[in-house]
Amino acid sequence: LQHVRSAFDGWKYRHYFQFDSVKTANVDSTSDGPTASKQVKIDIKPAGLGAAELKKLVAGYVVEEMLPISTVDSESFRRIIDKIPIKNFVSTTADIWTVNNKSFLGVTVHWINSTLQRNKAALACKRIKGSHTFDVIGAEIEEIHSTYGLHGKVVATVADNASNFAKAFRVYQSCDLESESEKEDDEEEPTFTDVINVLSAPSTEGQVSLPPHYRCASHTINLISTSDVEKHLNSSAETKSVYRSSMAKCSALWTKASRSTLAAEQVEEISRRKLMVPTSTRWNSLYEAISRILTIPSNELNPMCVKLGIKCFTEKEYQFLKEYISVMKPLTVALDILQGDECPYGALLPTLTSLMSKTLALKDDLSKMTATLPDAIKTRFNAVLESQEGRLAAATCPKFKLRWLRDECSRVQVKELLITECRTTAAATAEVPQDSQTPASPDKMDFFDFEIQPRESFSAENEVTDYIRSGHELEILNQFPKVKKIYMKYNTPTPSSAPVERLFSLGGLVLSPKRNRLSDRRFEKLLNF
């Protein structure tokens, strides 16, 4: 049964979101063909069938009828599934991966089902040839979205801070869909494009349309903890000397231990642990590598440096590393939270708020070497903290609601914002009143023919107020349908592009040096399955 479910997943991830790929006109509901006398009419309602239930039903059907697994790939089966009217808010993550002199564009999709369970799937890991210019990236992402029926249905795409990605979303995104984070692109580094290639290529402007771009929060935090902090420490003569000397000695220790077997054995003999070597592609690696060094007491560290032929750490340098780690620790905790599998977009603003308060609280315990370091941390997220999408996402998370806001004025503003969004949602989903009853058949008496009581009109203020006063469990959203729908819309995106990075990690296992002759199509098929 599990094998059948996995096989169905492989097809479902490619076709589950093709909401409008089959037009209603293709269904002939007035066919005059023969009809069995005992034919059962199947009535599938959008709210009554979730993705998990659908998968279970299909798997049971294949197993109980002893059908081949290839049944889920047949055209007739696809036409049946395409007719099931399931709607989800979906988001994607995207990034480019280079390996063995080849470049691939990876895209993952994310959605929340009716039971508030987060789901994800790999859409593509497509080969990209030539320069990674903004127009190439925009066209490829749009093509992938269109292939899976997601064009115009993606609420946001999460990507890193690379200038080519940022420009692609800025150029090919509608003005009315522009996210708050895209309004702060004035400080980007310029992107240079080959004029000959641009003039010779067919025009795609006006045809490509991309969803709003959410910048990867984990990548931003990593930039803060590396480049921003380095620039800040190098800007002062007092911190520059101790920063450079301490980091140079750490680098010498990492190089010696990683390149010499004898040195690695000596380090492990003294510290009883191996040293970690930082890598630029793995977030938090510098923090973890320095923390591993500081697990060795200074009275044992310097004798080990003497044995390895490395300059010893001074007391000032050792103290600087300890303070550096204490300042960076809140950053690493925040990064780990935001790149978690189950982390919704609503966790972004509460995490950043706690991050800034915790780093600023450290100032009094720091020496002059690192006292100004917390101020450099809060500069990159000023625009994100004011975004309407982030506020609605956080407010509709029962875990946070309005508790993450520090002052009463901000809480009132976000509450009014949520009430306004509730009214908009109620107006957009207005349906025929549910009080209308099916008339009784002529041969049956409606014995309880009482007057229908008028229904109480919807009040956005009451629903939001009751929601704020309710508990903090996620399931509490089922009692507040409008707030639940807002939650599903704004929390579908992930705050980090870590899912597509994990896809690339799996790709590294598939595209090993011994399998570098795999065709691009075969590689993508193996990875997505």
Side-chain angles (χ1 to χ4, degrees), residues 270-275 288-301 318 322 325:
I270 295 174
S271 64
R272 294 174 294 279
R273 300 177 72 183
K274 291 184 178 180
L275 295 182
E288 294 171 352
I290 297 177
S291 299
R292 184 65 60 87
I293 292 178
L294 292 179
T295 58
I296 307 174
S298 58
N299 58 347
E300 297 180 5
L301 180 61
Y318 195 81
K322 291 176 65 176
I325 289 301

Side-chain angles (χ1 to χ4, degrees), residues 259-396:
R259 296 183 179 179
S260 172
T261 305
L262 180 60
E265 292 175 352
Q266 291 177 343
V267 170
E268 189 173 0
E269 180 181 353
I270 295 174
S271 64
R272 294 174 294 279
R273 300 177 72 183
K274 291 184 178 180
L275 295 182
M276 299 180 64
V277 180
T279 57
S280 58
T281 57
R282 197 169 69 86
W283 300 325
N284 283 349
S285 62
L286 179 61
Y287 169 85
E288 294 171 352
I290 297 177
S291 299
R292 184 65 60 87
I293 292 178
L294 292 179
T295 58
I296 307 174
S298 58
N299 58 347
E300 297 180 5
L301 180 61
N302 283 335
M304 184 182 70
C305 291
V306 173
K307 288 184 178 181
L308 299 177
I310 300 173
K311 292 183 179 180
C312 298
F313 289 84
T314 64
E315 185 64 29
K316 185 178 181 179
E317 292 168 344
Y318 195 81
Q319 180 64 25
F320 169 81
L321 291 177
K322 291 176 65 176
E323 292 186 4
Y324 175 86
I325 289 301
S326 65
V327 174
M328 292 296 107
K329 185 174 181 179
L331 279 168
T332 60
V333 174
L335 197 153
D336 288 337
I337 291 173
L338 295 177
Q339 65 182 352
D341 283 336
E342 299 298 324
C343 183
Y345 191 74
L348 177 58
L349 296 193
T351 302
L352 295 180
T353 302
S354 297
L355 170 62
M356 290 191 295
S357 63
K358 292 182 183 301
T359 52
L360 293 175
L362 293 170
K363 293 182 66 173
D364 297 335
D365 298 330
L366 301 176
S367 64
K368 292 182 178 180
M369 294 184 296
T370 56
T372 58
L373 196 54
D375 297 322
I377 293 176
K378 65 177 183 178
T379 55
R380 279 190 182 260
F381 285 108
N382 284 335
V384 179
L385 291 171
E386 300 298 326
S387 69
Q388 177 174 312
E389 300 91 348
R391 290 186 168 200
L392 286 172
T396 52

Side-chain angles (χ1 to χ4, degrees), residues 131-143:
S131 301
H132 305 161
T133 56
F134 76 95
D135 53 334
V136 172
I137 292 174
E140 292 291 348
I141 293 178
E142 199 270 347
E143 182 183 352

Side-chain angles (χ1 to χ4, degrees), residues 24 26 50 91 105 110 131 189 211 215 304 319 352 373 377 386 402 441 458 465 467 526:
T24 309
N26 293 338
S91 69
L105 174 65
H110 305 262
S131 301
E189 297 180 359
R215 293 173 181 261
M304 184 182 70
Q319 180 64 25
L352 295 180
L373 196 54
I377 293 176
E386 300 298 326
L402 305 180
S441 59
F458 170 75
T465 301
Y467 161 71
L526 289 173

